[in-house]
Coordinates of all heavy atoms in Angstrom, one line a residue:
M1 N 0.8 -1.2 0.0 CA 0.0 0.0 0.0 C 0.9 1.2 0.1 O 1.9 1.3 0.7 CB -0.9 0.0 1.3 CG -2.0 1.0 1.2 SD -2.8 1.1 2.8 CE -2.7 2.9 3.1
N2 N 0.5 2.2 -0.7 CA 1.1 3.5 -0.8 C 0.8 4.3 0.4 O -0.3 4.5 0.8 CB 0.9 4.2 -2.1 CG 1.6 3.6 -3.3 OD1 2.9 3.7 -3.3 ND2 0.8 3.1 -4.2
E3 N 1.8 4.9 1.0 CA 1.6 5.8 2.2 C 1.4 7.2 1.7 O 1.9 7.7 0.7 CB 2.8 5.7 3.1 CG 3.1 4.5 3.8 CD 4.0 4.7 4.9 OE1 3.6 5.2 6.0 OE2 5.2 4.3 4.8
A4 N 0.6 7.9 2.4 CA 0.3 9.3 2.2 C 1.7 10.1 2.3 O 2.3 10.0 3.2 CB -0.7 9.9 3.1
L5 N 1.8 11.0 1.3 CA 3.0 11.8 1.2 C 2.6 13.3 1.1 O 1.5 13.6 0.6 CB 3.9 11.4 0.0 CG 4.4 10.0 0.0 CD1 5.2 9.7 -1.4 CD2 5.3 9.7 1.2
E6 N 3.5 14.1 1.6 CA 3.3 15.6 1.5 C 4.6 16.2 0.9 O 5.6 15.6 1.1 CB 2.8 16.2 2.7 CG 3.8 16.0 3.9 CD 3.1 16.4 5.2 OE1 1.9 16.7 5.3 OE2 3.9 16.4 6.2
V7 N 4.4 17.4 0.4 CA 5.6 18.0 -0.2 C 5.7 19.5 0.3 O 4.7 20.2 0.5 CB 5.6 17.9 -1.8 CG1 4.3 18.6 -2.3 CG2 6.8 18.5 -2.4
W8 N 6.9 19.9 0.5 CA 7.1 21.3 0.8 C 8.4 21.8 0.2 O 9.2 21.1 -0.3 CB 7.2 21.6 2.3 CG 8.3 20.9 3.1 CD1 8.3 19.6 3.5 CD2 9.5 21.5 3.5 NE1 9.5 19.3 4.2 CE2 10.3 20.4 4.1 CE3 10.1 22.7 3.4 CZ2 11.5 20.7 4.7 CZ3 11.4 23.0 3.9 CH2 12.1 21.9 4.5
I9 N 8.4 23.2 0.0 CA 9.7 23.8 -0.6 C 10.3 24.7 0.4 O 9.7 25.5 1.0 CB 9.2 24.6 -1.8 CG1 8.6 23.7 -3.0 CG2 10.3 25.4 -2.4 CD1 8.0 24.4 -4.1
D10 N 11.6 24.6 0.3 CA 12.4 25.6 1.1 C 12.7 26.8 0.3 O 13.6 26.7 -0.6 CB 13.8 24.9 1.6 CG 14.6 25.8 2.4 OD1 14.3 27.0 2.6 OD2 15.6 25.4 3.0
Q11 N 11.9 27.8 0.4 CA 12.0 28.9 -0.4 C 13.3 29.7 -0.3 O 13.8 30.4 -1.2 CB 10.9 30.0 -0.2 CG 9.6 29.6 -0.9 CD 8.8 28.6 -0.2 OE1 9.0 28.3 1.0 NE2 7.9 27.9 -0.8
D12 N 14.1 29.5 0.8 CA 15.4 30.2 1.0 C 16.4 29.7 -0.1 O 17.3 30.4 -0.4 CB 15.9 29.9 2.3 CG 15.2 30.6 3.4 OD1 14.4 31.5 3.1 OD2 15.4 30.2 4.6
L13 N 16.2 28.5 -0.7 CA 17.1 27.9 -1.6 C 16.6 27.9 -3.0 O 17.3 27.5 -3.9 CB 17.5 26.5 -1.2 CG 18.1 26.3 0.2 CD1 18.4 24.9 0.6 CD2 19.6 27.1 0.1
C14 N 15.3 28.3 -3.2 CA 14.7 28.2 -4.5 C 15.3 29.2 -5.5 O 15.5 30.4 -5.1 CB 13.2 28.5 -4.4 SG 12.3 28.6 -6.0
T15 N 15.7 28.8 -6.7 CA 16.3 29.7 -7.7 C 15.3 30.4 -8.5 O 15.7 31.2 -9.4 CB 17.3 28.9 -8.5 OG1 16.6 28.1 -9.4 CG2 18.3 28.1 -7.7
G16 N 14.0 29.9 -8.5 CA 13.0 30.4 -9.3 C 13.0 30.1 -10.8 O 12.3 30.7 -11.7
D17 N 13.8 29.0 -11.1 CA 13.8 28.5 -12.5 C 12.5 28.0 -13.0 O 12.3 28.0 -14.2 CB 14.9 27.5 -12.6 CG 14.7 26.4 -11.7 OD1 13.9 25.5 -12.0 OD2 15.3 26.4 -10.6
G18 N 11.7 27.5 -12.2 CA 10.4 26.9 -12.5 C 10.3 25.5 -13.1 O 9.3 25.1 -13.6
I19 N 11.5 24.8 -12.9 CA 11.4 23.4 -13.4 C 10.2 22.6 -12.7 O 9.5 21.9 -13.4 CB 12.7 22.8 -13.1 CG1 13.8 23.3 -14.0 CG2 12.7 21.2 -13.2 CD1 15.2 22.9 -13.8
C20 N 10.0 22.8 -11.4 CA 9.1 22.1 -10.7 C 7.6 22.4 -11.3 O 6.8 21.5 -11.4 CB 9.1 22.4 -9.2 SG 8.9 24.2 -8.9
V21 N 7.5 23.7 -11.7 CA 6.2 24.1 -12.3 C 5.9 23.4 -13.6 O 4.8 23.0 -14.0 CB 6.1 25.6 -12.4 CG1 4.7 26.0 -13.0 CG2 6.4 26.3 -11.0
Q22 N 7.0 23.1 -14.4 CA 6.9 22.4 -15.7 C 6.5 21.0 -15.4 O 5.7 20.5 -16.1 CB 8.2 22.6 -16.4 CG 8.5 23.9 -16.9 CD 9.8 24.0 -17.7 OE1 10.3 23.0 -18.2 NE2 10.5 25.2 -17.5
Y23 N 7.1 20.4 -14.4 CA 6.9 18.9 -14.1 C 5.4 18.8 -13.5 O 4.7 17.8 -14.0 CB 7.9 18.4 -13.2 CG 9.1 17.8 -13.8 CD1 10.3 18.6 -13.6 CD2 9.1 16.7 -14.5 CE1 11.5 18.1 -14.2 CE2 10.3 16.2 -15.0 CZ 11.4 16.9 -14.9 OH 12.6 16.5 -15.5
A24 N 5.0 19.6 -12.6 CA 3.8 19.4 -11.8 C 3.2 20.6 -11.6 O 3.1 21.1 -10.4 CB 4.2 18.6 -10.6
P25 N 2.5 21.2 -12.6 CA 1.8 22.5 -12.4 C 0.6 22.4 -11.5 O 0.2 23.4 -11.0 CB 1.3 22.9 -13.8 CG 1.4 21.7 -14.6 CD 2.4 20.8 -14.0
E26 N 0.1 21.2 -11.3 CA -1.0 21.0 -10.4 C -0.5 21.2 -8.9 O -1.4 21.4 -8.0 CB -1.6 19.7 -10.5 CG -2.1 19.3 -11.9 CD -1.0 18.7 -12.8 OE1 0.2 18.8 -12.4 OE2 -1.4 18.1 -13.8
V27 N 0.8 21.0 -8.7 CA 1.3 21.1 -7.3 C 2.1 22.3 -7.0 O 2.1 22.9 -5.9 CB 2.1 19.8 -7.0 CG1 2.7 19.8 -5.6 CG2 1.2 18.6 -7.2
F28 N 2.8 22.8 -8.0 CA 3.8 23.9 -7.8 C 3.4 25.1 -8.7 O 2.9 25.0 -9.7 CB 5.2 23.5 -8.2 CG 5.7 22.3 -7.5 CD1 5.9 21.1 -8.2 CD2 5.9 22.3 -6.2 CE1 6.4 20.0 -7.6 CE2 6.4 21.1 -5.5 CZ 6.6 20.0 -6.2
E29 N 3.7 26.3 -8.1 CA 3.5 27.5 -8.8 C 4.5 28.6 -8.4 O 4.9 28.7 -7.3 CB 2.0 28.0 -8.6 CG 1.7 29.2 -9.5 CD 0.2 29.6 -9.3 OE1 -0.7 28.6 -9.4 OE2 -0.2 30.7 -9.0
L30 N 4.9 29.4 -9.4 CA 5.8 30.5 -9.0 C 4.9 31.7 -8.7 O 4.0 32.1 -9.3 CB 6.6 30.9 -10.3 CG 7.7 29.9 -10.7 CD1 8.3 30.4 -12.1 CD2 8.8 29.8 -9.7
D31 N 5.3 32.3 -7.5 CA 4.5 33.4 -7.0 C 5.1 34.7 -7.6 O 6.2 34.7 -8.3 CB 4.5 33.5 -5.5 CG 3.4 34.4 -5.0 OD1 2.5 34.8 -5.8 OD2 3.4 34.5 -3.8
I32 N 4.5 35.8 -7.4 CA 5.1 37.1 -7.9 C 6.4 37.5 -7.4 O 7.1 38.2 -8.0 CB 4.1 38.3 -7.7 CG1 3.6 38.4 -6.3 CG2 2.9 38.2 -8.7 CD1 2.8 39.6 -6.0
D33 N 6.8 36.8 -6.2 CA 8.1 37.1 -5.7 C 9.2 36.3 -6.4 O 10.4 36.3 -6.1 CB 8.2 36.8 -4.2 CG 7.9 35.3 -3.9 OD1 7.7 34.5 -4.8 OD2 7.8 35.0 -2.6
G34 N 8.7 35.4 -7.5 CA 9.7 34.8 -8.3 C 10.1 33.4 -7.7 O 11.0 32.7 -8.3
L35 N 9.5 33.0 -6.5 CA 9.8 31.8 -6.0 C 8.8 30.8 -6.0 O 7.6 31.1 -6.2 CB 10.1 32.0 -4.4 CG 11.3 33.0 -4.2 CD1 11.4 33.2 -2.7 CD2 12.6 32.5 -4.8
A36 N 9.1 29.5 -5.9 CA 8.0 28.4 -6.1 C 7.3 28.1 -4.8 O 8.1 28.2 -3.7 CB 8.6 27.2 -6.7
Y37 N 6.1 27.9 -4.8 CA 5.3 27.5 -3.7 C 4.4 26.4 -4.0 O 4.1 26.1 -5.2 CB 4.4 28.7 -3.2 CG 5.2 29.8 -2.6 CD1 5.8 30.8 -3.5 CD2 5.3 30.0 -1.2 CE1 6.6 31.8 -3.0 CE2 6.1 31.0 -0.8 CZ 6.8 31.9 -1.6 OH 7.5 32.9 -1.1
V38 N 3.9 25.6 -3.0 CA 3.0 24.5 -3.3 C 1.5 25.0 -3.3 O 1.3 26.1 -2.7 CB 3.2 23.3 -2.3 CG1 4.6 22.8 -2.4 CG2 2.8 23.8 -0.8
K39 N 0.7 24.3 -3.9 CA -0.7 24.6 -4.0 C -1.5 23.5 -3.2 O -1.2 22.4 -3.0 CB -1.2 24.6 -5.4 CG -0.5 25.7 -6.2 CD -1.2 26.0 -7.4 CE -1.1 25.0 -8.6 NZ -1.7 25.6 -9.8
S40 N -2.6 24.0 -2.6 CA -3.6 23.1 -1.8 C -4.3 22.2 -2.9 O -4.3 22.5 -4.1 CB -4.5 23.9 -1.1 OG -5.4 24.6 -1.9
A41 N -5.0 21.3 -2.4 CA -5.7 20.2 -3.2 C -6.8 21.0 -4.0 O -7.2 20.5 -5.1 CB -6.3 19.3 -2.3
D42 N -7.3 22.2 -3.5 CA -8.2 22.9 -4.3 C -7.6 24.1 -5.1 O -8.2 25.1 -5.3 CB -9.4 23.4 -3.4 CG -9.0 24.2 -2.2 OD1 -7.7 24.5 -2.2 OD2 -9.8 24.6 -1.5
D43 N -6.3 24.0 -5.4 CA -5.7 24.8 -6.3 C -5.3 26.3 -5.7 O -5.0 27.1 -6.5 CB -6.5 25.0 -7.6 CG -5.6 25.3 -8.8 OD1 -4.5 24.6 -8.8 OD2 -6.0 26.0 -9.7
E44 N -5.3 26.3 -4.4 CA -5.0 27.6 -3.8 C -3.4 27.7 -3.6 O -2.9 26.8 -3.0 CB -5.7 27.8 -2.6 CG -5.5 29.1 -1.8 CD -6.0 29.1 -0.4 OE1 -6.7 28.1 0.0 OE2 -5.8 30.0 0.3
L45 N -2.8 28.8 -4.0 CA -1.4 28.9 -3.7 C -1.1 29.1 -2.2 O -1.7 30.0 -1.6 CB -0.8 30.1 -4.5 CG 0.6 30.3 -4.5 CD1 1.3 29.2 -5.2 CD2 1.0 31.6 -5.3
L46 N -0.3 28.2 -1.7 CA 0.1 28.4 -0.3 C 1.3 29.3 0.0 O 2.4 28.8 -0.3 CB 0.2 27.0 0.3 CG -1.0 26.1 0.1 CD1 -0.7 24.7 0.7 CD2 -2.3 26.7 0.9
Q47 N 1.1 30.5 0.3 CA 2.2 31.5 0.2 C 3.0 31.5 1.5 O 4.0 32.2 1.6 CB 1.7 32.9 0.0 CG 1.2 32.9 -1.5 CD 0.2 34.1 -1.7 OE1 -0.8 34.2 -1.1 NE2 0.6 34.9 -2.6
A48 N 2.7 30.7 2.5 CA 3.5 30.7 3.7 C 4.8 29.8 3.5 O 4.7 28.7 2.8 CB 2.8 30.0 4.9
P49 N 6.0 30.4 3.8 CA 7.1 29.6 3.5 C 7.1 28.2 4.2 O 6.6 28.1 5.3 CB 8.3 30.5 4.2 CG 7.7 31.8 4.2 CD 6.2 31.7 4.3
R50 N 7.6 27.2 3.4 CA 7.6 25.8 3.9 C 6.2 25.2 4.1 O 6.1 24.2 4.8 CB 8.4 25.7 5.2 CG 9.9 26.2 4.9 CD 10.7 25.9 6.1 NE 12.1 26.3 5.8 CZ 13.1 25.6 6.2 NH1 13.0 24.6 7.2 NH2 14.4 25.9 5.9
A51 N 5.2 25.8 3.6 CA 3.8 25.2 3.7 C 3.9 23.8 3.0 O 4.6 23.5 2.1 CB 2.8 26.0 2.9
T52 N 3.1 22.8 3.5 CA 3.1 21.6 2.9 C 1.7 21.3 2.2 O 0.7 22.0 2.6 CB 3.2 20.5 4.0 OG1 2.1 20.5 4.9 CG2 4.5 20.6 4.7
T53 N 1.7 20.4 1.3 CA 0.5 20.0 0.6 C 0.5 18.6 0.3 O 1.7 18.0 0.2 CB 0.3 20.8 -0.7 OG1 -1.1 20.8 -1.1 CG2 1.1 20.4 -1.8
P54 N -0.6 17.8 0.3 CA -0.6 16.4 0.0 C -0.1 16.2 -1.4 O -0.4 17.0 -2.3 CB -2.1 16.0 0.2 CG -2.7 17.1 0.9 CD -2.0 18.3 0.7
V55 N 0.6 15.1 -1.7 CA 1.0 14.6 -3.0 C -0.1 13.7 -3.5 O -0.2 12.6 -3.1 CB 2.3 13.9 -3.0 CG1 2.8 13.5 -4.4 CG2 3.4 14.9 -2.4
P56 N -0.8 14.2 -4.6 CA -1.8 13.2 -5.2 C -1.1 12.1 -5.8 O -0.1 12.3 -6.6 CB -2.5 14.1 -6.2 CG -2.2 15.5 -5.9 CD -0.8 15.5 -5.2
L57 N -1.5 10.9 -5.5 CA -0.8 9.7 -6.0 C -0.5 9.7 -7.6 O 0.6 9.4 -8.0 CB -1.6 8.4 -5.7 CG -0.8 7.1 -5.8 CD1 0.6 7.2 -5.1 CD2 -1.6 5.9 -5.2
P58 N -1.5 10.1 -8.4 CA -1.2 10.1 -9.9 C -0.1 11.1 -10.3 O 0.5 11.0 -11.3 CB -2.5 10.6 -10.5 CG -3.6 10.4 -9.4 CD -2.9 10.5 -8.1
L59 N 0.3 12.1 -9.3 CA 1.3 13.0 -9.6 C 2.6 12.8 -8.9 O 3.5 13.5 -9.0 CB 0.8 14.4 -9.2 CG -0.5 14.9 -9.9 CD1 -0.9 16.3 -9.4 CD2 -0.2 15.0 -11.5
L60 N 2.6 11.6 -8.2 CA 3.8 11.4 -7.4 C 5.1 11.3 -8.3 O 6.1 12.0 -7.8 CB 3.6 10.0 -6.7 CG 4.9 9.5 -5.8 CD1 5.2 10.6 -4.8 CD2 4.7 8.2 -5.3
Q61 N 5.1 10.7 -9.4 CA 6.3 10.6 -10.2 C 6.8 11.9 -10.7 O 7.9 12.3 -10.7 CB 6.1 9.7 -11.4 CG 7.4 9.3 -12.1 CD 8.4 8.7 -11.2 OE1 8.0 7.7 -10.5 NE2 9.5 9.2 -11.1
D62 N 5.7 12.8 -11.1 CA 6.1 14.2 -11.4 C 6.7 15.0 -10.3 O 7.7 15.8 -10.5 CB 4.8 14.9 -11.9 CG 4.3 14.3 -13.3 OD1 5.1 13.7 -14.0 OD2 3.1 14.5 -13.5
V63 N 6.2 14.7 -9.1 CA 6.7 15.5 -7.9 C 8.1 14.9 -7.6 O 9.0 15.7 -7.2 CB 5.8 15.4 -6.8 CG1 6.4 15.8 -5.4 CG2 4.5 16.1 -7.0
V64 N 8.3 13.6 -7.7 CA 9.6 13.1 -7.4 C 10.7 13.5 -8.5 O 11.8 13.9 -8.1 CB 9.5 11.5 -7.4 CG1 10.9 10.9 -7.4 CG2 8.7 11.1 -6.2
D65 N 10.2 13.6 -9.7 CA 11.2 14.1 -10.8 C 11.5 15.6 -10.5 O 12.7 16.0 -10.6 CB 10.5 14.0 -12.1 CG 10.4 12.6 -12.6 OD1 11.2 11.7 -12.0 OD2 9.6 12.3 -13.6
S66 N 10.5 16.4 -10.0 CA 10.8 17.7 -9.7 C 11.9 17.9 -8.6 O 12.8 18.6 -8.7 CB 9.6 18.4 -9.1 OG 8.5 18.4 -10.0
A67 N 11.7 17.0 -7.6 CA 12.7 17.0 -6.5 C 14.1 16.6 -7.0 O 15.0 17.2 -6.5 CB 12.2 16.1 -5.3
K68 N 14.1 15.6 -7.8 CA 15.4 15.2 -8.4 C 16.0 16.3 -9.2 O 17.3 16.4 -9.2 CB 15.2 14.0 -9.2 CG 15.0 12.7 -8.4 CD 14.9 11.5 -9.3 CE 14.6 10.3 -8.5 NZ 14.0 9.2 -9.3
E69 N 15.3 17.0 -10.1 CA 15.8 18.0 -11.0 C 16.0 19.4 -10.4 O 16.6 20.2 -10.9 CB 14.9 18.0 -12.2 CG 14.7 16.7 -13.0 CD 16.0 16.3 -13.6 OE1 16.8 17.1 -14.0 OE2 16.1 15.0 -13.7
C70 N 15.4 19.5 -9.3 CA 15.4 21.0 -8.7 C 16.8 21.4 -8.4 O 17.6 20.9 -7.6 CB 14.7 21.0 -7.3 SG 14.8 22.4 -6.3
P71 N 17.2 22.5 -9.1 CA 18.6 23.0 -9.0 C 18.9 23.6 -7.6 O 20.1 23.5 -7.2 CB 18.6 24.2 -10.0 CG 17.4 24.0 -10.8 CD 16.3 23.3 -10.0
G72 N 17.9 23.9 -6.8 CA 18.1 24.5 -5.5 C 18.1 23.4 -4.5 O 18.4 23.6 -3.3
D73 N 17.9 22.1 -4.9 CA 17.8 21.0 -3.9 C 16.8 21.3 -2.7 O 17.2 21.2 -1.6 CB 19.1 20.6 -3.4 CG 19.7 19.4 -4.0 OD1 18.9 18.8 -4.8 OD2 20.8 19.1 -3.9
C74 N 15.7 21.9 -3.1 CA 14.8 22.5 -2.0 C 13.4 22.0 -2.0 O 12.6 22.5 -1.4 CB 14.8 24.0 -2.0 SG 14.4 24.7 -3.6
I75 N 13.2 20.9 -2.8 CA 11.8 20.3 -2.8 C 11.9 19.0 -1.9 O 12.7 18.1 -2.2 CB 11.3 19.8 -4.2 CG1 11.3 21.1 -5.0 CG2 10.0 19.1 -4.2 CD1 10.9 20.8 -6.4
H76 N 11.0 19.0 -0.8 CA 11.1 17.9 0.1 C 9.8 17.1 0.1 O 8.8 17.7 0.3 CB 11.3 18.5 1.6 CG 12.6 19.3 1.7 ND1 13.7 18.8 2.2 CD2 12.9 20.6 1.3 CE1 14.7 19.7 2.2 NE2 14.2 20.8 1.7
V77 N 9.9 15.8 0.0 CA 8.7 15.0 0.0 C 8.8 14.1 1.2 O 9.9 13.3 1.3 CB 8.6 14.1 -1.3 CG1 7.5 13.3 -1.3 CG2 8.6 15.0 -2.5
R78 N 7.8 14.0 2.0 CA 7.9 13.3 3.3 C 6.6 12.5 3.5 O 5.6 12.9 3.0 CB 8.3 14.2 4.5 CG 7.2 15.2 4.8 CD 7.7 16.1 5.9 NE 6.6 17.0 6.3 CZ 6.7 18.2 7.0 NH1 8.0 18.4 7.5 NH2 5.7 18.8 7.5
R79 N 6.7 11.5 4.4 CA 5.6 10.7 4.8 C 4.8 11.6 5.7 O 5.3 12.3 6.7 CB 6.0 9.5 5.6 CG 6.4 8.3 4.6 CD 6.4 7.0 5.3 NE 7.4 7.0 6.5 CZ 8.6 6.5 6.5 NH1 8.9 5.8 5.4 NH2 9.3 6.5 7.5
V80 N 3.4 11.6 5.6 CA 2.6 12.3 6.5 C 2.6 11.7 7.9 O 2.6 12.4 8.9 CB 1.1 12.3 6.0 CG1 0.2 12.9 6.9 CG2 1.1 13.1 4.6
S81 N 2.7 10.3 8.0 CA 2.6 9.7 9.2 C 3.6 10.0 10.2 O 3.4 10.1 11.4 CB 2.5 8.1 9.0 OG 3.6 7.7 8.3
D82 N 4.9 10.1 9.7 CA 6.0 10.3 10.7 C 7.0 11.4 10.2 O 8.0 11.6 10.9 CB 6.8 9.0 10.9 CG 7.4 8.4 9.6 OD1 7.3 9.1 8.6 OD2 7.9 7.4 9.7
S83 N 6.6 12.1 9.2 CA 7.4 13.3 8.7 C 8.8 12.9 8.2 O 9.6 13.8 8.1 CB 7.5 14.4 9.7 OG 6.2 14.9 9.9
V84 N 9.0 11.6 7.9 CA 10.3 11.3 7.4 C 10.4 11.5 5.9 O 9.5 11.2 5.1 CB 10.6 9.7 7.6 CG1 11.8 9.2 6.9 CG2 10.8 9.4 9.2
E85 N 11.5 12.2 5.5 CA 11.6 12.5 4.1 C 12.0 11.3 3.3 O 12.9 10.6 3.7 CB 12.7 13.6 4.0 CG 12.9 14.1 2.6 CD 13.5 15.5 2.5 OE1 13.1 16.4 3.3 OE2 14.4 15.8 1.7
V86 N 11.3 11.2 2.2 CA 11.5 10.0 1.3 C 12.1 10.3 -0.1 O 12.7 9.5 -0.7 CB 10.2 9.1 1.1 CG1 9.8 8.5 2.5 CG2 9.0 10.0 0.6
Y87 N 11.9 11.6 -0.5 CA 12.5 12.1 -1.7 C 13.0 13.5 -1.4 O 12.2 14.3 -0.7 CB 11.6 12.1 -2.9 CG 11.0 10.8 -3.3 CD1 9.7 10.5 -2.9 CD2 11.7 9.8 -3.9 CE1 9.1 9.2 -3.1 CE2 11.2 8.6 -4.2 CZ 9.9 8.3 -3.8 OH 9.4 7.0 -4.1
G88 N 14.2 13.9 -1.9 CA 14.6 15.2 -1.6 C 16.0 15.2 -0.9 O 16.5 14.1 -0.7
P89 N 16.6 16.4 -0.6 CA 17.9 16.4 -0.2 C 18.2 15.8 1.2 O 19.3 15.4 1.5 CB 18.2 17.9 0.0 CG 16.8 18.6 -0.1 CD 16.0 17.7 -0.9
D90 N 17.1 15.6 2.0 CA 17.2 15.0 3.3 C 16.8 13.5 3.4 O 16.8 13.0 4.5 CB 16.5 15.9 4.4 CG 16.9 17.3 4.5 OD1 18.1 17.6 4.2 OD2 16.1 18.2 4.8
A91 N 16.5 13.0 2.3 CA 16.1 11.6 2.2 C 17.3 10.7 2.4 O 18.4 11.0 2.0 CB 15.4 11.3 0.9
E92 N 17.1 9.6 3.0 CA 18.2 8.7 3.4 C 18.7 8.1 2.1 O 18.0 7.8 1.1 CB 17.7 7.6 4.3 CG 17.0 8.1 5.5 CD 17.9 7.8 6.7 OE1 18.2 6.6 7.0 OE2 18.2 8.8 7.5
Ligands
SF4_101 S1 12.7 23.5 -9.3 FE1 13.4 24.0 -7.2 S2 14.7 25.8 -7.4 FE2 13.4 25.6 -9.3 S3 11.6 26.8 -9.0 FE3 11.1 24.7 -8.2 S4 11.6 24.7 -6.1 FE4 12.5 26.5 -7.0

């Protein structure tokens, strides 16, 4: 069974290149400050730094690819149940 995952961005390291938005526009968006933020399930931009949003299972691969390609190494995907990072710079 797949565990519920959530994703957050460390805006302090975001370069604003928009690669994540190209991979998963349903989850990521560039705000007017030029940095990427996550969106809620109902498409609302979450402008609080390090806000988290659930990763929809059909978009998991796109989100994982975003984390792998992110030049700032600042996309973090973690388990909801115990907050352990499974994809991203702090994953084991
Ligand atoms: S891929 Fe990473 S560095 Fe680029 S805009 Fe997205 S979060 Fe920022």
